[in-house]
Amino acid sequence: MTKDNVINLVRENIKNLIPYQSARRIGGHGTVCLNANESPIPVFFTLKKKEWNRYPECQPTELISAYANYVNIEYNNVLVTRGADEGIELLIKAFCEPRKDVIVYCPPTYDMYQITANIFDVLARKIPTKKNIWQLDLINIQLNLHSVKIIYICNPNNPTGTIILQNDIIKLLNITAGKALIVVDEAYIEFSLKDSMITYLKKYSHLVILRTLSKAFSLAAIRCGFILANKEVINILNKVISPYPISIPVTDIACQSLESKSIELMKKRVLSNDLNRIWFMEELKTLPCTEKIFDSSANYVLVQFKMCEKIFKELWSKGIILRNQNKKMYLKNCIRISIGTRTECIYVIDELKRFCLKNNIMRNK
């Protein structure tokens, strides 16, 4: 079979699909990697399980119990997934008819909502947040609910770092009752726990929450996430999930990370990250190349720079790998910077100071 014949076998919506540009896919080799919102502090566990010849449980009982206990909800309200990304995928797979149903996403936000819909040939309807305040445009969402099955809301939002007003999410839940699922992606919620929607799960049967161990728990490498929802939604998703999605080593490490002593260490890492973020943002304010710093309730900060592209390339060449957002909606001249250790934060600030001197960038009078 020729190359052209193979291409002809591909689904039409996949032929021109642009895949998600993850930090690892984009590449970049550096000593200060602040482009993927990972924890800069590693954690270490020793595997307790020693036998590898049997398949794992589809939904590991011990892990579900541990996470349900951590978030204080019932066992049957939890589904374990391969990161929050699989949660995004499972919901579209289970609830959306290809070429018929619609998902709504609110840029600037996480690109995987749109890309996953494109993969499943489901229309992704873009309803941007209100510029600069990054809050939901409830009027436009309400006017565009025809054929909508799922609305994705990232909170804290990636890449802006801002919190979506809880009252607006509640209004949206009331607007969409009986019409669509409201999926709140809380991948970064440990950095702003007071803003979680988890206490509303019992009240709203169409509320779904995505969680992960990749960020605050410092376990991006094991790819472990959770869907929190009412048991009817969980039962539906159990129909479409892979037979053995969560490996035994992942379950082992995840369970250890949810022990009380590990949770306490996680909270200390979050506090350390918050302090570094505050320090870093204050230092950024003093730099003449900084035009605007957006408020952040996550482990990253979005910054608008003068000479944005040149700054990004200069720091890249010095092994400081950041996330360029310049081409995203509303984010002209913006770079997202994950919060690293204090040493890494100091290094970034020092290099930005050198850049300003080298390029004769002066503070506006």
Side-chain angles (χ1 to χ4, degrees):
M1 185 178 287
T2 67
K3 177 182 176 182
D4 288 342
N5 286 337
V6 171
I7 295 299
N8 288 336
L9 298 176
V10 179
R11 288 165 48 204
E12 286 300 319
N13 63 307
I14 301 299
K15 284 182 181 178
N16 297 314
L17 178 75
I18 299 174
Y20 178 69
Q21 298 303 298
S22 67
R24 297 299 176 266
R25 189 187 287 265
I26 292 172
H29 300 286
T31 55
V32 181
C33 295
L34 304 178
N35 61 336
N37 300 341
E38 302 147 319
S39 169
I41 303 170
V43 293
F44 302 95
F45 295 101
T46 300
L47 289 178
K48 296 178 180 179
K49 306 291 184 181
K50 303 298 182 183
E51 296 179 355
W52 314 115
N53 58 311
R54 303 295 184 189
Y55 286 117
E57 296 175 86
C58 175
Q59 287 294 290
T61 305
E62 183 183 1
L63 179 52
I64 292 176
S65 295
Y67 201 80
N69 182 63
Y70 165 63
V71 295
N72 195 29
I73 62 175
E74 297 297 321
Y75 177 94
N76 58 13
N77 295 132
V78 181
L79 187 86
V80 190
T81 59
R82 289 168 289 195
D85 291 326
E86 187 181 32
I88 296 167
E89 175 183 316
L90 288 173
L91 288 158
I92 294 177
K93 185 188 290 187
F95 287 92
C96 295
E97 294 281 355
R99 303 187 185 184
K100 178 182 175 183
D101 291 331
V102 177
I103 69 109
V104 165
Y105 69 108
C106 304
T109 193
Y110 187 38
D111 290 334
M112 276 304 293
Y113 311 134
Q114 176 193 13
I115 291 171
T116 306
N118 292 342
I119 291 170
F120 285 99
D121 212 2
V122 169
L123 179 64
R125 186 171 294 153
K126 177 170 62 178
I127 303 181
T129 51
K130 297 174 182 178
K131 189 175 181 180
N132 291 329
I133 62 171
W134 317 125
Q135 294 300 324
L136 299 175
D137 188 343
L138 290 174
I139 293 174
N140 270 329
I141 293 175
Q142 189 167 9
L143 291 172
N144 288 278
L145 284 177
H146 53 281
S147 302
V148 172
K149 284 285 187 72
I150 302 174
I151 300 175
Y152 286 100
I153 300 166
C154 191
N155 195 38
N157 186 41
N158 176 16
T160 62
T162 44
I163 292 294
I164 303 298
L165 294 173
Q166 193 169 83
N167 283 343
D168 282 358
I169 299 176
I170 291 170
K171 287 177 185 176
L172 187 58
L173 283 163
N174 291 325
I175 290 168
T176 56
K179 299 175 183 176
L181 295 178
I182 302 301
V183 180
V184 182
D185 186 345
E186 294 189 347
Y188 302 95
I189 201 64
E190 274 82 10
F191 299 95
S192 191
L193 269 177
K194 68 182 186 338
D195 296 295
S196 176
M197 291 298 295
I198 201 160
T199 58
Y200 291 91
L201 280 175
K202 289 183 179 180
K203 183 174 181 180
Y204 295 101
S205 62
H206 60 305
L207 172 62
V208 179
I209 294 173
L210 303 179
R211 289 288 190 93
T212 183
L213 299 182
S214 295
K215 314 300 181 185
F217 280 87
S218 199
L219 288 172
I222 73 169
R223 307 304 297 126
C224 185
F226 304 88
I227 297 176
L228 314 179
N230 75 75
K231 64 180 180 181
E232 286 75 22
V233 170
I234 299 298
N235 290 341
I236 291 297
L237 297 176
N238 258 314
K239 290 184 177 183
V240 297
I241 198 167
S242 300
Y244 311 108
I246 311 301
S247 71
I248 289 173
V250 167
T251 297
D252 190 341
I253 293 169
C255 284
Q256 291 183 59
S257 77
L258 292 164
E259 294 172 358
S260 58
K261 61 182 179 181
S262 295
I263 290 172
E264 288 306 309
L265 289 172
M266 177 272 289
K267 290 177 180 177
K268 289 179 181 179
R269 288 195 301 273
V270 167
L271 178 59
S272 174
N273 191 278
D274 288 347
L275 293 172
N276 282 344
R277 184 185 69 230
I278 293 167
W279 180 89
F280 188 62
M281 292 173 73
E282 288 299 316
E283 290 294 313
L284 284 169
K285 289 177 185 177
T286 69
L287 301 177
C289 61
T290 301
E291 291 196 317
K292 185 171 184 177
I293 306 165
F294 294 92
D295 289 337
S296 175
S297 296
N299 63 337
Y300 51 89
V301 61
L302 184 71
V303 189
Q304 190 175 64
F305 285 110
K306 298 172 186 176
M307 302 178 70
C308 165
E309 291 288 341
K310 193 169 183 180
I311 284 174
F312 179 78
K313 291 176 181 176
E314 177 90 359
L315 267 59
W316 182 287
S317 71
K318 293 178 180 255
I320 301 173
I321 312 301
L322 309 179
R323 184 74 162 182
N324 194 346
Q325 301 289 323
N326 182 42
K327 295 181 180 178
K328 299 291 179 66
M329 175 177 283
Y330 299 155
L331 302 186
K332 186 173 177 59
N333 297 324
C334 287
I335 295 174
R336 191 194 71 195
I337 307 174
S338 303
I339 302 302
T341 62
R342 182 60 64 93
T343 300
E344 289 173 329
C345 290
I346 291 170
Y347 182 37
V348 174
I349 294 297
D350 286 346
E351 287 301 327
L352 286 170
K353 287 177 180 177
R354 290 188 185 95
F355 179 89
C356 292
L357 289 171
K358 177 181 174 183
N359 291 276
N360 198 30
I361 302 175
M362 308 296 289
R363 183 171 297 282
N364 293 333
K365 294 183 179 179

